[in-house]
Amino acid sequence: MKNTWPLWEVFIRSKSGLSHKHVGSLHASDAEMAVENARDLYTRRNEGVSIWVVESKHITASDPDDSDPLFEPAKDKIYRHPTFYSVPDEVTHM
Amino acid sequence: MTSLNFETIFQSKIDDETKIEPKDWMPDAYRKTLIRQISQHAHSEIVGMLPEGNWITRAPSLRRKLILLAKVQDEAGHGLYLYSAAETLGADRDDLVQQLLTGKAKYSSIFNYPTLNWADIGAIGWLVDGAAIMNQVMLTRTSYGPYARAMVRICKEESFHQRQGYEIMIAMAKGSPEQKAMAQDSLNRWWWPSLMMFGPSDSESTHSDQALKWKIKRKSNDELRQQFVDVTVPQAEYLGLTVPDPALHWNEARDHYDFGEINWDEFWSVVKGNGPCNRQRLQARVKAYEDGAWVRDAAIAYAEKKEQRKLAPEAAVKAA
């Protein structure tokens, strides 16, 4: 049996006030090493102030083949956007 | 849907500049081509650490040593970004590494040339990284999302590599006559292999047409090579060094430099494993892999032990 380090997905907060963003993946034997490796691999040039790692196998992703039923319903609901409504020129601050 | 329909949708996404993402449908050949290309690229970054690593302990100053260490560390990082990108296509990291170690997979032939004097570290940054950047800037627009994103990161970092190399060349070329001679010697040895980095000429390249259609590549080997020559020759002139190609001259009508014919026999000979350092490079990789085996195993054993303690702290203590 192959005895290999599992794959981890890495998320970096680039500065306070922004959310963590996926930057890539890496292999590590445990979570602690994953954070250390992520520091060396993805923040060599001050790219981050905080790191999340999660083992790739724990991520559930939507299936691209289901994109239509998943995302199509939102497309015809244009009334959810402010640009759907007309505001008279005389009315300001809206 | 038939697979023909899938292929039509796939190609129309490519034509519309929509990136292909890991879970999207893709033709098997697209997946295979990408795994081959991305893993070869990753192997090149990893093997590329060796010729430069040779000079870390011999760097002429602490400043140069720190810079070279940072650069070699970047190359390791680039290899890892790329292996990760290949894994999003379903490739297994260990399989990829095994392909490198057994000689089944190729890596860039440029790293089969030796680094004989300190100016070679300058020439590698200036020419080898310069040629790599031409290719990599193009690849930031490649059609496969994870590969393109890895390339964006890599390009940001490569530009430091090229500049530090050129700075070394300036220091050498404007230094003592001996230093200038070393710089010239280095340019003489690295110029042609750098041009070879772009691969066979378009008429000989087996993978080019399909790769262009799928937008894995966006420019042909010869286009990129021409672009490299055009930007690099003036940089050599600034250094006061002579490009070792008597056929090189500016062609006003084409608005490009004309240059001599590459020695394709040498090119194929190095690709086939007969370059000056092919065996040495692979041996170094195999040794590093084997010598590191106990560390990888120990880390797994330690992770398992910690996990067990978390699950059943008392039992683990008793067992110990």
Side-chain angles (χ1 to χ4, degrees):
Chain A
M1 195 197 90
K2 269 200 289 194
N3 202 13
T4 53
W5 295 353
L7 188 66
W8 302 74
E9 299 301 321
V10 180
F11 302 81
I12 304 275
R13 185 200 298 288
S14 57
K15 60 176 189 180
S16 290
L18 297 177
S19 34
H20 288 75
K21 193 176 161 215
H22 183 245
V23 293
S25 56
L26 50 76
H27 287 266
S29 60
D30 60 19
E32 197 185 335
M33 189 198 279
V35 169
E36 285 164 2
N37 287 359
R39 189 207 69 147
D40 288 347
L41 188 55
Y42 291 107
T43 65
R44 287 196 302 282
R45 289 175 174 78
N46 296 313
E47 291 96 333
V49 295
S50 164
I51 297 170
W52 285 353
V53 294
V54 58
E55 234 187 293
S56 309
K57 68 177 180 193
H58 294 312
I59 289 185
T60 308
S62 63
D63 186 339
D65 292 340
D66 293 338
S67 324
D68 282 356
L70 278 176
F71 306 116
E72 203 59 45
K75 282 191 187 152
D76 59 3
K77 296 178 179 55
I78 48 170
Y79 46 83
R80 284 182 170 159
H81 297 279
T83 45
F84 178 74
Y85 303 91
S86 51
V87 177
D89 289 346
E90 296 81 353
V91 178
T92 55
H93 300 294
M94 188 177 283
Chain B
M1 237 187 319
T2 64
S3 97
L4 193 67
N5 282 340
F6 277 123
E7 255 186 277
T8 315
I9 295 170
F10 171 81
Q11 188 61 49
S12 67
K13 273 164 110 175
I14 300 233
D15 296 342
D16 294 346
E17 299 292 328
T18 301
K19 296 282 182 225
I20 306 301
E21 292 295 342
K23 294 184 79 181
D24 293 343
W25 186 91
M26 61 187 84
D28 279 347
Y30 178 82
R31 187 185 299 277
K32 276 192 196 135
T33 303
L34 275 172
I35 291 176
R36 182 180 50 82
Q37 182 175 325
I38 298 173
S39 60
Q40 281 183 7
H41 197 157
H43 300 329
S44 302
E45 301 282 356
I46 299 298
V47 177
M49 290 193 280
L50 297 170
E52 294 184 296
N54 184 39
W55 283 91
I56 290 175
T57 55
R58 295 162 230 212
S61 68
L62 183 58
R63 177 179 182 272
R64 294 291 182 201
K65 186 174 186 158
L66 284 172
I67 292 171
L68 187 56
L69 267 173
K71 177 180 191 297
V72 173
Q73 192 191 8
D74 274 352
E75 307 297 0
H78 297 177
L80 294 176
Y81 305 153
L82 287 160
Y83 283 128
S84 295
E87 284 176 286
T88 64
L89 291 155
D92 179 273
R93 173 81 63 106
D94 279 337
D95 291 346
L96 300 178
V97 171
Q98 286 309 319
Q99 284 167 13
L100 170 67
L101 299 181
T102 55
K104 195 175 159 234
K106 299 273 183 248
Y107 54 86
S108 181
S109 279
I110 192 81
F111 302 117
N112 291 320
Y113 290 85
T115 42
L116 303 178
N117 81 47
W118 170 252
D120 287 12
I121 297 305
I124 288 182
W126 171 39
L127 299 173
V128 175
D129 291 315
I133 288 169
M134 287 287 156
N135 190 40
Q136 289 168 341
V137 166
M138 166 192 80
L139 288 171
T140 61
R141 297 189 302 120
T142 191
S143 57
Y144 186 59
Y147 193 21
R149 293 192 283 277
M151 279 303 136
V152 170
R153 281 192 83 87
I154 289 176
C155 284
K156 279 185 194 160
E157 301 182 354
E158 285 287 353
S159 119
F160 134 60
H161 297 180
Q162 196 189 16
R163 286 183 185 201
Q164 67 84 34
Y166 196 66
E167 193 194 70
I168 292 173
M169 293 307 282
I170 292 178
M172 303 283 285
K174 313 277 177 197
S176 66
E178 290 83 358
Q179 286 174 314
K180 186 168 182 184
M182 285 165 83
Q184 182 63 54
D185 170 55
S186 173
L187 173 59
N188 292 348
R189 284 180 291 108
W190 290 94
W191 175 255
W192 289 106
S194 299
L195 294 195
M196 292 178 199
M197 283 176 70
F198 297 97
S201 73
D202 295 348
S203 53
E204 302 288 324
S205 179
T206 43
H207 305 295
S208 269
D209 287 349
Q210 189 62 65
L212 285 170
K213 187 179 168 226
W214 280 334
K215 295 187 183 168
I216 293 175
K217 292 171 64 168
R218 316 285 310 225
K219 289 177 181 175
S220 75
N221 295 353
D222 287 336
E223 275 177 88
L224 287 168
R225 189 164 16 238
Q226 180 71 60
Q227 199 181 340
F228 175 73
V229 171
D230 289 348
V231 303
T232 309
V233 170
Q235 294 166 357
E237 280 166 5
Y238 177 84
L239 294 171
L241 300 179
T242 308
V243 174
D245 178 1
L248 184 80
H249 70 277
W250 179 251
N251 183 328
E252 194 99 22
R254 285 203 315 129
D255 210 21
H256 288 295
Y257 282 96
D258 288 341
F259 54 97
E261 183 68 12
I262 285 171
N263 179 347
W264 294 112
D265 291 340
E266 176 184 332
F267 173 83
W268 290 113
S269 162
V270 182
V271 168
K272 288 183 179 126
N274 303 315
C277 301
N278 294 55
R279 284 170 200 81
Q280 190 186 334
R281 300 293 185 234
L282 261 197
Q283 275 165 9
R285 287 315 310 156
V286 169
K287 182 174 189 306
Y289 184 80
E290 287 174 354
D291 289 355
W294 72 271
V295 179
R296 294 191 296 277
D297 291 344
I300 291 268
Y302 177 64
E304 278 167 1
K305 189 174 80 176
K306 268 202 312 187
E307 195 59 28
Q308 267 165 13
R309 284 208 177 139
K310 222 171 19 182
L311 294 174
E314 283 163 33
V317 170
K318 272 179 202 153

